[in-house]
């Protein structure tokens, strides 16, 4: 039921919904902030309304709607994102028909013509960059068609592409900065604002980080000098509509009502036209437009850009990348094809290649001729970094001196304990009998006994002085995530799947591997790229809990277990129970 209405950005209405029994929490759901939803009235008296989740907690959820909802009780369901699919299909249909510069970019992306490069020139960098970051910026600036920046975990990929954008703007170029997720776009925008760039964010305000909403197109248009007149025109139009339907004793002149309504409709049309001119004016003033890579033409129109940058390009399906690519004079893709691929739910689509990103395909086709790799990372202790560096990056990663040996007990208010004085711990549950189970009424797997140990390690970290907000728990299965959330004793503790932590970091990370069975079946844990993401989220402390007897049959995990032993990180669950 709705407990509150309040005005939202861009003329929207934000409603707060709770259970009728307000003492009860909401059931577990997938309605994350930014998710598209449909609200259906209980009594079916009015049509369902589409909206976007703008905030949520355990007992309530806020939804931003374009119109005021009629009724009190509603069913809220996750809505399918058909708009994105249709935009991708439209881009694929448009690509073969492209002419001019778009046709040349198409040929490069399809391998029909090699990318061209000018001679590299020196740049006057606005931020402090390491040699590999500087080389990547200079290389991307020299590209006439396409360049790829390969950014392994913690190497400052976003810092590098923001500097690239700043350099392009200094040359008078207009830039489109994209990413497949709203979080990644917001990350770019935040850094551009810090760099004092004129950037505007296109997207539903509910999907934009709250502290960045003043930089959205909605907010900037509302502040435009033309909008005072627009609001006056819309108010007058509403007054005319009300007047045309008002009962009066005197019979109106023939055709008077129709004339008043025509006038109202014309006023509304003129107001919307003026508003669209304000939109275009705001976009014209901006040097940089930031938006998700699956945008539509409804706002941006037929604009092209001197430079299009797609961050986290490995997480975007190829059709999604063609949408911005067709607007580019030059295209730069940034990402890491050894981390998570695009999320594709259809097994058939995966089989036919949809999970292969455009960036990965182009790296396979063109190799180093279009790619520069960042090699110095600023996140992890060297022992947290070394395994991934060896397995995925040819041992090329270097830990910057500021992080190479940092530990939890170096932080203020964190005590020296066994957990805080070494960077990596693996706790082997083999032989404990803590076997996995299938979640009741579900298909996902969980391991409550392992979950109890994971939460015990979190408590020990907190008792040592580390804040819950500095700790993350990662589990590969949604059922384990649900169990951990239900049994955790802090709302500040972040618990999520591997996908939820791509691009993120915490001071300490605890990984629950979940799988424990007699047959050595590990399911999608066998996707080494997922584990690469999980293993590289921690800054100062990584704890992995798993069953070596189940995991060790896989070559990747056998190597990982051997690495843990080589650095003295291996412990058994029996040592834990005796502590």
């Amino acid at each position: 039921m709705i407990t509150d209405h309040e005005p939202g950005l861009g003329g929207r209405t934000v409603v707060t919904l709770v259970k009728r029994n307000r003492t009860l929490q909401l059931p577990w759901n997938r309605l994350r902030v930014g998710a598209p939803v449909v609200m259906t009235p209980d009594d079916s008296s009015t049509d369902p309304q589409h909206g976007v989740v703008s905030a949520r907690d355990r007992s309530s959820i806020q939804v931003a709607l374009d119109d005021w909802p009629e009724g009190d009780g509603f069913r809220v369901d996750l809505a399918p994102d058909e708009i994105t699919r249709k935009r991708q299909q439209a881009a694929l249909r448009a690509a073969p028909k492209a002419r001019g510069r778009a046709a040349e970019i198409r040929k490069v992306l399809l391998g029909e013509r090699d990318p061209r490069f000018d001679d590299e020139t020196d740049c006057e960098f606005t931020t402090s960059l390491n040699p590999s970051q500087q080389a990547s910026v200079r290389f991307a600036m020299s590209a006439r068609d396409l360049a790829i920046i390969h950014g392994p975990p913690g190497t400052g990929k976003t810092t590098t592409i923001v500097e690239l954008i700043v350099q392009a703007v200094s040359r008078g170029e207009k830039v489109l900065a994209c990413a497949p997720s709203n979080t990644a776009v917001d990350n770019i925008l935040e850094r551009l604002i810090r760099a004092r760039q004129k950037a505007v964010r296109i997207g539903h305000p509910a999907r934009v980080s709250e502290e960045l909403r003043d930089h959205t197109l909605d907010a900037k248009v509302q502040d435009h000098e033309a909008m005072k007149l627009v609001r006056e025109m819309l108010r007058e139009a509403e007054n005319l509509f009300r007047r045309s339907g008002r009962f009066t004793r005197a019979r109106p002149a023939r055709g008077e009502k129709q004339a008043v309504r025509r006038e109202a409709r014309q006023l509304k049309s003129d107001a919307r036209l003026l508003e669209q001119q304000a939109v275009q004016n705001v976009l014209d003033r901006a040097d940089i437009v930031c938006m998700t890579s699956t945008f539509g033409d409804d706002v941006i129109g037929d604009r092209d850009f001197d430079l299009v940058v797609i961050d986290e390009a490995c997480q975007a399906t190829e059709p999604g990348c063609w949408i911005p690519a067709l607007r580019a004079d030059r295209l730069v893709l940034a990402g890491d094809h050894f981390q998570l691929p695009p999320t594709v739910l259809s097994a058939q689509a995966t089989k036919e290649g949809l999970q292969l990103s455009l960036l990965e395909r182009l790296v396979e086709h063109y190799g180093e001729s279009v790619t520069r790799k960042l090699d110095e990372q600023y996140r992890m202790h060297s022992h947290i970094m070394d395994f991934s560096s060896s397995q995925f990056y040819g041992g090329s990663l270097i830990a910057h001196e500021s992080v190479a040996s940092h530990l939890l007990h170096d932080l203020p208010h964190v005590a020296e304990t066994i957990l805080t004085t070494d960077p990596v711990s693996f706790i082997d549950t083999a032989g404990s009998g803590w076997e996995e189970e299938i979640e009741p009424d579900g298909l996902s797997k969980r391991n409550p006994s392992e979950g109890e140990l994971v939460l015990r390690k979190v408590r020990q970290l907190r008792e040592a002085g580390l804040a819950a907000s500095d700790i993350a728990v990662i589990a590969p299965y949604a059922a384990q995530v649900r169990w951990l959330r239900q049994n955790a004793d802090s709302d500040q503790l972040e618990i999520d799947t591997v996908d939820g932590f791509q691009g993120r970091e915490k001071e300490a990370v605890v990984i629950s591997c979940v799988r424990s069975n007699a047959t050595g079946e590990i399911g999608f844990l066998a996707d080494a790229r997922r584990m690469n993401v999980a293993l590289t989220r921690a800054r100062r402390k990584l704890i992995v809990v798993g069953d070596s007897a189940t995991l060790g049959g896989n070559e990747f995990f056998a190597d990982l277990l051997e690495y843990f032993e080589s650095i003295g990180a291996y412990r058994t669950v029996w040592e834990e129970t005796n502590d």
Side-chain angles (χ1 to χ4, degrees), residues 338-344 355 392 474-477 497-502 511 523-537 556-557:
F338 295 117
Q339 295 190 58
L340 290 177
T343 300
V344 179
Q355 205 169 44
F392 299 97
I474 300 177
Y477 289 91
T497 60
V498 180
D499 301 63
F501 277 97
Q502 172 94 344
I511 300 173
F524 62 78
L525 258 67
D527 183 351
R529 289 181 296 184
R530 306 186 79 82
M531 283 307 298
N532 185 33
V533 173
L535 293 169
T536 55
R537 300 305 97 195
F556 172 84
F557 280 99

Side-chain angles (χ1 to χ4, degrees), residues 182 186 189 201-213 216:
N182 285 287
D186 286 350
L189 176 62
R201 171 75 155 91
I202 298 179
H204 196 297
R207 294 191 173 105
V208 178
S209 176
E210 187 172 352
E211 55 269 24
L212 297 175
R213 288 178 183 169
T216 62

Side-chain angles (χ1 to χ4, degrees), residues 36-40 48-51 75-80:
V37 295
V38 59
M39 285 178 47
T40 306
Q49 283 199 47
H50 289 267
R75 174 188 172 92
V76 182
D77 294 288
L78 193 64

Side-chain angles (χ1 to χ4, degrees), residues 435-436 445 515-523 547 549-554:
E435 292 202 351
E436 67 196 52
K445 292 178 173 59
R515 300 309 298 264
S516 179
N517 54 70
T519 59
E521 174 62 41
I522 64 171
D547 181 347
T550 300
L551 301 174
N554 174 272

Side-chain angles (χ1 to χ4, degrees), residues 263-411:
E263 183 181 355
R265 282 193 291 269
Q266 186 62 51
L267 260 178
K268 272 199 165 186
S269 177
D270 291 345
R272 295 306 179 198
L273 182 60
L274 191 57
E275 186 178 49
Q276 282 302 310
Q277 290 173 352
V279 167
Q280 298 310 312
N281 188 236
V282 169
L283 293 176
D284 287 340
R285 293 176 183 176
D287 294 323
I288 308 154
V289 174
C290 301
M291 60 201 308
T292 55
S293 49
T294 52
F295 60 83
D297 298 337
D298 48 340
V299 173
I300 205 167
D302 58 358
R303 291 169 183 269
D304 293 325
F305 296 85
D306 301 299
L307 172 65
V308 171
V309 177
I310 306 178
D311 193 13
E312 303 293 1
C314 287
Q315 292 184 65
T317 61
E318 179 161 344
C321 288
W322 279 90
I323 298 173
L326 291 174
R327 295 174 179 269
D329 185 63
R330 294 182 296 124
L331 177 65
V332 173
L333 305 177
D336 179 12
H337 47 290
F338 295 117
Q339 295 190 58
L340 290 177
T343 300
V344 179
L345 301 180
S346 167
Q348 181 66 25
T350 299
K351 183 179 178 181
E352 295 186 13
L354 189 60
Q355 205 169 44
L356 179 68
S357 69
L358 176 63
L359 185 151
E360 186 173 1
R361 181 174 67 75
L362 292 173
V363 167
E364 290 177 359
H365 184 80
Y366 290 117
E368 294 183 1
S369 67
V370 299
T371 307
R372 289 295 181 271
K373 185 169 76 173
L374 307 176
D375 60 19
E376 190 168 14
Q377 65 86 16
Y378 298 82
R379 175 185 299 162
M380 298 165 276
H381 187 286
S382 59
H383 282 183
I384 299 174
M385 173 198 75
D386 284 341
F387 179 76
S388 287
S389 177
S390 173
Q391 283 281 318
F392 299 97
Y393 309 108
S396 64
L397 292 190
I398 303 164
H400 187 264
E401 61 180 10
S402 64
V403 302
S405 60
H406 67 179
L407 296 165
L408 284 179
H409 76 79
D410 296 329
L411 293 170

